[in-house]
Amino acid sequence: MRHLMSPLDFTVGELNDLFDLAADIEANPEKYRHACSGKILATCFYEPSTRTRLSFESAMLRMGGDVIGFSDASSSSASKGESVADTIRTISCFADICAMRHHKEGAPMVAAARSTIPVINAGDGGHQHPTQTLTDLLTIRSLKGRLDNFTVGLCGDLKFGRTVHSLIHALERYEGLEFIFISPEELRVPDYITEELKRRHVAFEEVIRLDDVMGRLDFLYMTRVQRERFFNEEDYVRLKDFYILDREKMSHARADMLVLHPLPRVNEIAVEIDDDPRAAYFRQVQYGVYVRMALILTLLGIGIDK
Ligand code: NCD
């Protein structure tokens, strides 16, 4: 039995197979309409979510499976003091696979250790968000045809943003990647990540001004300042509008640069950018469903002839 805790749980070859499957699902959705009939997905979300939870549920429903779960810790027995380990042993009797989001780093790992069904980490605190990363990689592969030799700018809250941490981990395995981290001093990417990049001889630089690097980027991955992980409101208010991507800033970007964002967006991308052909964040949401469909099939060991 296999779980997904980190994007590194899959080798580059396994990721390619997963993305090929997602591409086949996109091209031939009717072939998969009953692929999960009789199977149940549990979504155990202890933290708010729109995209990730509904994307998982939509993925399962589009393959003929069923969905149970909770979307808020207060409506689960966690509010009575039940441990994650006990919850997952219970859920294992009800469902065939579980997607879990938790505010505590490592909680889905604790669950996986006690589970008798595959567990997918759907985001744990400020740590990892592997299925968002699978979504990001599938988007890049689908829109650019490859995953290597890019200059990737990551902008915003690089300290608390778990999507950023997961994406860097996943991309550092591909050839010719160069990262440009764009953040205020207070929201720099954590040292454990930059240390790892140095060890692996992956090129990166850290800057504060987006304008200085805009013209060099193949991708700009914008992120929301993670208000819920701040220790005080004052710091959040000071930093929340540090970057706002607008038409003027986009005029310095390359004609083929793509803007990604895991969403939800607050102020960091002006709505006027949504109609720019380089804005790929809503297409990214659609790829998220295909990749979660592929992931559910893979972890359940359901094979469909391509
Ligand atoms: C992200 C998350 O939950 O970390 N959202 C998502 O899953 N698409 C990003 C965010 O909340 O800013």
Coordinates of all heavy atoms in Angstrom, one line a residue, residues 74-135:
S74 N -14.2 21.2 13.7 CA -15.2 21.3 14.7 C -16.4 20.4 14.4 O -17.2 20.1 15.4 CB -15.7 22.7 14.8 OG -16.3 23.1 13.6
S75 N -16.6 19.9 13.2 CA -17.7 19.0 12.9 C -17.2 17.5 13.0 O -17.9 16.6 12.6 CB -18.3 19.3 11.6 OG -17.4 19.1 10.5
S76 N -16.0 17.3 13.4 CA -15.5 15.9 13.5 C -15.2 15.6 15.0 O -15.3 16.5 15.9 CB -14.1 15.7 12.8 OG -13.1 16.2 13.5
S77 N -14.8 14.4 15.3 CA -14.6 14.0 16.7 C -13.3 14.6 17.2 O -13.0 14.4 18.4 CB -14.6 12.5 16.9 OG -15.9 12.0 16.8
A78 N -12.5 15.3 16.4 CA -11.3 16.0 16.8 C -11.7 17.0 17.9 O -11.0 17.2 18.9 CB -10.6 16.7 15.7
S79 N -13.0 17.5 17.7 CA -13.4 18.5 18.7 C -13.7 17.9 20.1 O -13.8 18.5 21.1 CB -14.7 19.2 18.2 OG -15.7 18.3 18.0
K80 N -13.8 16.5 20.1 CA -14.0 15.8 21.4 C -12.7 15.3 21.9 O -12.6 14.7 22.9 CB -14.9 14.6 21.2 CG -16.3 14.9 20.7 CD -17.1 13.6 20.6 CE -18.4 13.7 19.9 NZ -18.9 12.5 19.4
G81 N -11.6 15.6 21.1 CA -10.3 15.2 21.6 C -9.7 13.9 21.0 O -8.7 13.4 21.4
E82 N -10.4 13.4 19.9 CA -9.9 12.2 19.3 C -8.6 12.5 18.6 O -8.4 13.5 17.9 CB -10.9 11.7 18.3 CG -10.5 10.3 17.7 CD -11.5 9.6 16.8 OE1 -11.9 10.3 15.9 OE2 -11.8 8.5 17.0
S83 N -7.6 11.5 18.6 CA -6.4 11.7 17.9 C -6.5 11.4 16.5 O -7.4 10.7 16.1 CB -5.3 10.8 18.6 OG -5.7 9.4 18.2
V84 N -5.6 11.9 15.7 CA -5.6 11.7 14.2 C -5.4 10.2 14.0 O -6.0 9.6 13.1 CB -4.4 12.5 13.6 CG1 -4.1 12.0 12.2 CG2 -4.8 13.9 13.5
A85 N -4.6 9.5 14.8 CA -4.3 8.1 14.7 C -5.6 7.3 14.8 O -5.9 6.4 14.1 CB -3.3 7.6 15.7
D86 N -6.4 7.6 15.8 CA -7.7 6.9 16.0 C -8.7 7.3 14.9 O -9.4 6.4 14.4 CB -8.3 7.3 17.4 CG -7.7 6.6 18.5 OD1 -6.7 5.8 18.3 OD2 -8.1 6.8 19.7
T87 N -8.7 8.5 14.5 CA -9.6 8.9 13.4 C -9.4 8.1 12.2 O -10.3 7.6 11.6 CB -9.6 10.4 13.1 OG1 -9.8 11.1 14.3 CG2 -10.5 10.9 12.1
I88 N -8.1 8.0 11.8 CA -7.8 7.3 10.5 C -8.1 5.8 10.6 O -8.5 5.2 9.7 CB -6.3 7.5 10.1 CG1 -6.2 7.1 8.6 CG2 -5.3 6.8 10.9 CD1 -6.9 7.9 7.6
R89 N -7.9 5.2 11.8 CA -8.3 3.8 12.0 C -9.8 3.6 11.8 O -10.2 2.6 11.2 CB -7.8 3.2 13.3 CG -6.3 3.2 13.4 CD -5.8 2.6 14.6 NE -5.9 1.1 14.6 CZ -5.4 0.3 15.5 NH1 -4.7 0.8 16.5 NH2 -5.5 -1.0 15.3
T90 N -10.5 4.6 12.2 CA -12.0 4.5 12.0 C -12.3 4.7 10.5 O -13.1 4.0 9.9 CB -12.6 5.6 12.9 OG1 -12.2 5.5 14.2 CG2 -14.1 5.6 12.8
I91 N -11.7 5.8 9.9 CA -12.0 6.1 8.5 C -11.6 4.9 7.6 O -12.3 4.6 6.6 CB -11.2 7.3 8.1 CG1 -11.7 8.6 8.9 CG2 -11.4 7.6 6.6 CD1 -13.0 9.1 8.6
S92 N -10.6 4.2 8.0 CA -10.1 3.0 7.2 C -11.3 2.0 7.1 O -11.3 1.2 6.2 CB -8.9 2.3 7.9 OG -7.8 3.2 7.9
C93 N -12.2 1.9 8.1 CA -13.3 1.0 8.0 C -14.4 1.5 7.0 O -15.3 0.7 6.6 CB -13.9 0.7 9.3 SG -12.8 0.2 10.6
F94 N -14.4 2.8 6.7 CA -15.5 3.4 6.0 C -15.1 3.6 4.5 O -16.0 3.8 3.7 CB -15.9 4.8 6.6 CG -16.3 4.8 8.0 CD1 -16.1 5.9 8.8 CD2 -16.9 3.6 8.6 CE1 -16.5 5.9 10.1 CE2 -17.3 3.6 9.9 CZ -17.1 4.8 10.7
A95 N -13.8 3.9 4.2 CA -13.4 4.3 2.9 C -12.3 3.5 2.4 O -11.6 2.7 3.1 CB -13.0 5.8 3.0
D96 N -12.0 3.7 1.1 CA -10.9 3.0 0.4 C -9.6 3.8 0.3 O -8.5 3.3 0.1 CB -11.3 2.5 -1.0 CG -12.5 1.7 -0.9 OD1 -12.4 0.5 -0.5 OD2 -13.7 2.1 -1.2
I97 N -9.8 5.1 0.4 CA -8.7 6.1 0.3 C -9.0 7.4 1.0 O -10.2 7.7 1.1 CB -8.3 6.3 -1.2 CG1 -7.1 7.1 -1.4 CG2 -9.5 6.9 -2.0 CD1 -6.5 7.1 -2.8
C98 N -8.0 8.1 1.5 CA -8.3 9.3 2.3 C -7.4 10.4 1.9 O -6.2 10.2 1.8 CB -8.1 8.9 3.8 SG -8.2 10.4 4.9
A99 N -8.0 11.6 1.7 CA -7.2 12.8 1.6 C -7.3 13.6 2.8 O -8.5 13.9 3.3 CB -7.7 13.6 0.4
M100 N -6.2 14.0 3.5 CA -6.3 14.6 4.7 C -5.5 16.0 4.7 O -4.4 16.1 4.3 CB -5.6 13.8 5.8 CG -5.6 14.4 7.2 SD -4.9 13.4 8.5 CE -6.2 12.2 8.7
R101 N -6.2 17.0 5.2 CA -5.5 18.3 5.4 C -5.5 18.6 6.9 O -6.6 18.4 7.6 CB -6.3 19.4 4.6 CG -5.8 20.8 5.1 CD -6.3 21.9 4.2 NE -5.7 21.8 2.9 CZ -5.7 22.8 2.0 NH1 -6.4 23.9 2.2 NH2 -5.1 22.7 0.8
H102 N -4.4 19.1 7.4 CA -4.3 19.4 8.8 C -3.5 20.6 9.1 O -2.5 20.9 8.4 CB -3.7 18.2 9.5 CG -4.1 18.0 11.0 ND1 -3.7 18.8 11.9 CD2 -5.0 17.1 11.5 CE1 -4.3 18.5 13.1 NE2 -5.0 17.4 12.9
H103 N -3.8 21.4 10.1 CA -3.0 22.6 10.5 C -1.7 22.2 11.1 O -0.8 23.0 11.1 CB -3.8 23.5 11.4 CG -4.4 22.8 12.5 ND1 -5.6 22.1 12.5 CD2 -4.0 22.5 13.8 CE1 -5.9 21.5 13.6 NE2 -4.9 21.8 14.4
K104 N -1.6 21.0 11.6 CA -0.3 20.6 12.2 C 0.6 19.9 11.2 O 0.2 18.9 10.6 CB -0.5 19.6 13.4 CG -1.0 20.3 14.6 CD -0.8 19.4 15.8 CE -1.4 19.9 17.0 NZ -2.3 19.0 17.7
E105 N 1.9 20.4 11.1 CA 2.8 19.7 10.3 C 3.0 18.3 10.7 O 3.2 18.0 11.9 CB 4.2 20.5 10.4 CG 4.3 21.8 9.6 CD 3.8 23.0 10.4 OE1 3.3 22.8 11.5 OE2 3.8 24.1 9.8
G106 N 3.0 17.4 9.8 CA 3.3 16.0 10.1 C 2.0 15.2 10.4 O 2.1 13.9 10.5
A107 N 0.9 15.8 10.6 CA -0.3 15.0 11.0 C -0.7 13.9 10.0 O -1.0 12.8 10.4 CB -1.5 16.0 11.3
P108 N -0.7 14.2 8.7 CA -1.0 13.2 7.7 C 0.0 12.0 7.8 O -0.4 10.9 7.5 CB -1.0 13.9 6.4 CG -1.2 15.3 6.7 CD -0.5 15.5 8.0
M109 N 1.3 12.3 8.2 CA 2.3 11.2 8.3 C 1.9 10.3 9.5 O 2.0 9.1 9.4 CB 3.7 11.8 8.5 CG 4.3 12.5 7.4 SD 3.5 14.1 7.1 CE 4.4 14.8 5.8
V110 N 1.4 10.9 10.6 CA 1.0 10.1 11.7 C -0.2 9.2 11.3 O -0.2 8.0 11.6 CB 0.6 11.0 12.9 CG1 -0.1 10.3 14.0 CG2 1.8 11.9 13.4
A111 N -1.1 9.8 10.5 CA -2.3 9.1 10.1 C -1.8 7.9 9.2 O -2.3 6.8 9.3 CB -3.2 10.0 9.3
A112 N -0.9 8.2 8.2 CA -0.5 7.1 7.3 C 0.1 6.0 8.0 O -0.1 4.8 7.6 CB 0.6 7.7 6.3
A113 N 0.9 6.3 9.1 CA 1.5 5.2 9.9 C 0.5 4.2 10.5 O 0.8 3.1 10.7 CB 2.4 5.8 10.9
R114 N -0.7 4.7 10.8 CA -1.7 3.9 11.4 C -2.8 3.4 10.5 O -3.8 2.7 10.9 CB -2.4 4.6 12.6 CG -1.5 5.1 13.6 CD -0.6 4.0 14.2 NE -1.3 2.9 14.8 CZ -1.6 2.8 16.1 NH1 -1.1 3.7 16.9 NH2 -2.3 1.7 16.5
S115 N -2.8 3.8 9.2 CA -3.9 3.6 8.3 C -3.8 2.3 7.6 O -2.7 1.8 7.3 CB -3.9 4.7 7.2 OG -4.9 4.5 6.3
T116 N -4.9 1.7 7.3 CA -4.9 0.5 6.4 C -5.4 0.8 5.0 O -5.6 -0.1 4.2 CB -5.8 -0.6 7.0 OG1 -7.1 -0.1 7.2 CG2 -5.3 -1.1 8.4
I117 N -5.6 2.1 4.7 CA -5.9 2.6 3.4 C -4.9 3.7 3.0 O -4.3 4.3 3.8 CB -7.4 3.1 3.3 CG1 -7.6 4.3 4.2 CG2 -8.4 2.0 3.6 CD1 -8.9 5.1 4.1
P118 N -4.8 3.9 1.6 CA -3.8 5.0 1.2 C -4.3 6.3 1.7 O -5.4 6.7 1.7 CB -3.9 4.9 -0.3 CG -4.4 3.6 -0.7 CD -5.3 3.2 0.5
V119 N -3.3 7.1 2.3 CA -3.5 8.4 2.8 C -2.8 9.4 1.9 O -1.6 9.2 1.6 CB -3.1 8.6 4.2 CG1 -3.3 10.0 4.7 CG2 -3.8 7.6 5.1
I120 N -3.5 10.5 1.5 CA -2.9 11.6 0.7 C -2.8 12.8 1.6 O -3.8 13.2 2.1 CB -3.7 11.9 -0.6 CG1 -3.9 10.6 -1.4 CG2 -3.2 13.0 -1.3 CD1 -5.0 10.7 -2.5
N121 N -1.6 13.4 1.6 CA -1.4 14.6 2.4 C -2.0 15.8 1.5 O -1.4 16.1 0.4 CB 0.1 14.8 2.6 CG 0.4 16.2 3.3 OD1 -0.5 16.9 3.6 ND2 1.7 16.4 3.5
A122 N -3.1 16.4 1.9 CA -3.7 17.4 1.2 C -3.3 18.8 1.7 O -4.0 19.8 1.6 CB -5.2 17.3 1.2
G123 N -2.1 18.8 2.4 CA -1.6 20.1 3.0 C -1.5 19.9 4.5 O -2.5 19.7 5.2
D124 N -0.2 20.0 5.0 CA 0.0 20.0 6.5 C 0.7 21.2 6.9 O 1.9 21.4 6.7 CB 0.7 18.7 6.9 CG 2.1 18.5 6.3 OD1 2.3 18.9 5.2 OD2 3.0 18.1 7.1
G125 N -0.1 22.1 7.6 CA 0.5 23.3 8.1 C 1.3 24.1 7.1 O 0.9 24.2 5.9
G126 N 2.5 24.6 7.5 CA 3.3 25.3 6.6 C 4.3 24.4 5.9 O 5.3 24.9 5.3
H127 N 4.1 23.1 5.9 CA 5.1 22.2 5.5 C 5.0 21.8 4.0 O 5.8 22.4 3.2 CB 4.9 20.9 6.4 CG 6.0 19.9 6.3 ND1 5.7 18.5 6.4 CD2 7.3 20.0 6.0 CE1 6.8 17.8 6.2 NE2 7.8 18.7 5.9
Q128 N 4.1 20.9 3.7 CA 4.1 20.4 2.3 C 2.6 20.4 1.7 O 1.7 20.4 2.5 CB 4.5 18.9 2.2 CG 6.0 18.7 2.7 CD 6.9 18.8 1.5 OE1 6.6 18.6 0.3 NE2 8.1 19.3 1.8
H129 N 2.5 20.4 0.4 CA 1.2 20.3 -0.2 C 1.4 19.6 -1.6 O 1.4 20.2 -2.6 CB 0.7 21.7 -0.5 CG -0.8 21.8 -0.8 ND1 -1.5 20.7 -1.3 CD2 -1.7 22.8 -0.9 CE1 -2.7 21.1 -1.6 NE2 -2.8 22.4 -1.3
P130 N 1.7 18.3 -1.4 CA 2.1 17.5 -2.7 C 1.1 17.5 -3.8 O 1.6 17.5 -5.0 CB 2.4 16.1 -2.1 CG 1.8 16.0 -0.8 CD 1.7 17.4 -0.3
T131 N -0.2 17.5 -3.5 CA -1.1 17.4 -4.7 C -1.2 18.8 -5.4 O -1.5 18.8 -6.6 CB -2.5 16.9 -4.3 OG1 -3.1 17.8 -3.4 CG2 -2.4 15.5 -3.8
Q132 N -0.9 19.9 -4.7 CA -0.8 21.1 -5.4 C 0.4 21.1 -6.3 O 0.4 21.6 -7.4 CB -0.8 22.3 -4.4 CG -0.7 23.7 -5.1 CD -1.9 24.0 -5.9 OE1 -3.0 23.8 -5.5 NE2 -1.7 24.4 -7.2
T133 N 1.5 20.5 -5.8 CA 2.7 20.4 -6.6 C 2.5 19.5 -7.9 O 2.9 19.9 -9.0 CB 3.8 19.9 -5.8 OG1 4.1 20.8 -4.7 CG2 5.1 19.7 -6.6
L134 N 1.7 18.4 -7.7 CA 1.4 17.6 -8.9 C 0.6 18.4 -9.9 O 0.9 18.4 -11.1 CB 0.6 16.4 -8.5 CG 1.3 15.4 -7.5 CD1 0.4 14.2 -7.3 CD2 2.7 14.9 -8.0
T135 N -0.3 19.2 -9.4 CA -1.1 20.1 -10.2 C -0.2 21.1 -11.0 O -0.3 21.3 -12.2 CB -2.1 20.9 -9.3 OG1 -2.9 20.0 -8.6 CG2 -2.9 21.9 -10.1

